[in-house]
Amino acid sequence: MQINGQTSVVGIIGDPVNHSRSPQMHNAAFNHLNLNMVYVPFHVRQESLGQAIKGMKALGMVGLNVTVPHKIEVMKYLDEISPAAGIIGAVNTIYVHDNRLIGDNTDGHGFVRALAEDEGISITGKNVVILGSGGSARAIGYALLKNGASRLIFCNRTASRAEKMAESFQTPGVFVAGMGIIDSMVEITQSDILINTTSVGMKQDEPLLINPAWIKKGQIVCDIIYSPLQTLLLQEAEKRGARVINGLGMLVHQGALSFEIWTEHSAPVEVMRKVLC
Ligand code: ATR
């Protein structure tokens, strides 16, 4: 791709940012569709966040992804927050519309779209258990309820955080609850889908959060971790006959949704996935 006077700029801000796979993924997609756009990583420290966001308009940028640690803090610098980002309480995608900076969040819908499009799994009517009660759990919980989950249980090391999360998601006709991981055996055993949103599994030799004997044949077990691709949880689940899904699909589809917001083109999902493998 040739950068010239008409090239539109998008990117990602984070601290650190050099580990991000998003530049590869988006630039491959721009090249594939012959779009005159470029995706750049920007290392932005907390004290410069406001100036960086202000600079988006001055530079005529199309949008940005936002990663750790700025997803919450960035909200105060934006002109508008989408309903999804408002409920999730975090922004991972900014776009400019009518000279206004709008914050959105594609993480939860990216997860649901990965299940639907890559795996043919619908959330409607499903009994789901989420391990963890942080930002990722909130984004996924929001999208699961939007897509018709019939029962949603948050299980967390710190039970009070899971209970608070569940309270904030009370939805008519849906059973939503929070509890400690220690108390979650029955819920996990009876669930259709189990999702790990914690960082447990990223490091080697880290003990499992749950007893793998709680996982049953035919269950769907997902991990949002994509490095390693096959976490210990997924390995153990597979041994017990569960269907396992790693975090690559969510990574690709949250990016695809941002791409579609910025470009109004369908994202070339397979091109984006291929550069990550
Ligand atoms: P993210 O935005 O990625 O979800 P976060 O908001 O910091 O990150 O949330 C991390 C989640 O992983 C929390 O649910 C955390 O549990 P606590 O609320 O008890 O802290 C969970 N987590 C992280 N490390 C963990 C560990 N070693 N054991 C159990 N849970 C862990």
Side-chain angles (χ1 to χ4, degrees), residues 50-179:
Q51 282 171 291
I53 298 302
K54 228 175 168 181
M56 286 180 72
K57 280 188 196 173
L59 295 172
M61 289 182 68
V62 169
L64 278 177
N65 279 138
V66 184
T67 190
V68 179
H70 302 316
K71 284 184 172 189
I72 299 170
E73 187 75 7
V74 77
M75 294 173 85
K76 67 176 183 227
Y77 300 112
L78 304 177
D79 298 314
E80 201 176 313
I81 302 292
S82 74
I87 292 170
I88 294 165
V91 160
N92 81 332
T93 304
I94 303 172
Y95 61 98
V96 185
H97 184 69
D98 285 344
N99 205 36
R100 287 169 64 73
L101 296 173
I102 304 174
D104 204 346
N105 194 311
T106 65
D107 285 333
H109 283 304
F111 177 83
V112 169
R113 196 165 118 168
L115 249 55
E117 291 189 10
D118 301 349
E119 309 287 340
I121 295 168
S122 160
I123 294 300
T124 311
K126 294 289 193 305
N127 175 352
V128 187
V129 170
I130 293 182
L131 299 177
S133 295
S136 306
R138 174 165 281 281
I140 290 175
Y142 164 81
L144 294 175
L145 291 172
K146 272 265 167 211
N147 284 275
S150 62
R151 186 179 174 91
L152 178 59
I153 313 292
F154 292 93
C155 301
N156 198 37
R157 172 175 62 182
T158 315
S160 58
R161 224 177 150 193
E163 286 158 11
K164 262 202 200 131
M165 178 79 83
E167 260 168 44
S168 76
F169 275 127
Q170 289 308 310
T171 307
V174 186
F175 184 80
V176 185
M179 61 180 62

Side-chain angles (χ1 to χ4, degrees), residues 110-116 119 121-123 126-132 140 144 188 191-198 200-201 208-210 215-216 218-226 228-238 242-250:
F111 177 83
V112 169
R113 196 165 118 168
L115 249 55
E119 309 287 340
I121 295 168
S122 160
I123 294 300
K126 294 289 193 305
N127 175 352
V128 187
V129 170
I130 293 182
L131 299 177
I140 290 175
L144 294 175
I188 289 178
S191 65
D192 302 309
I193 306 179
L194 173 68
I195 306 161
N196 176 44
T197 69
T198 76
V200 177
L208 280 175
L209 266 185
I210 61 162
I215 297 170
K216 295 282 169 279
Q219 273 181 320
I220 296 164
V221 178
C222 311
D223 207 319
I224 69 164
I225 294 171
Y226 53 86
L229 269 184
Q230 202 72 354
T231 58
L232 186 58
L233 175 68
L234 296 190
Q235 291 170 32
E236 291 294 332
E238 198 158 41
R243 178 171 174 189
V244 301
I245 298 170
N246 65 40
L248 197 64
M250 178 178 171

Side-chain angles (χ1 to χ4, degrees), residues 3-9 36-37:
I3 293 177
N4 58 29
Q6 274 88 51
T7 304
S8 299
V9 179
N36 192 354
M37 296 181 75

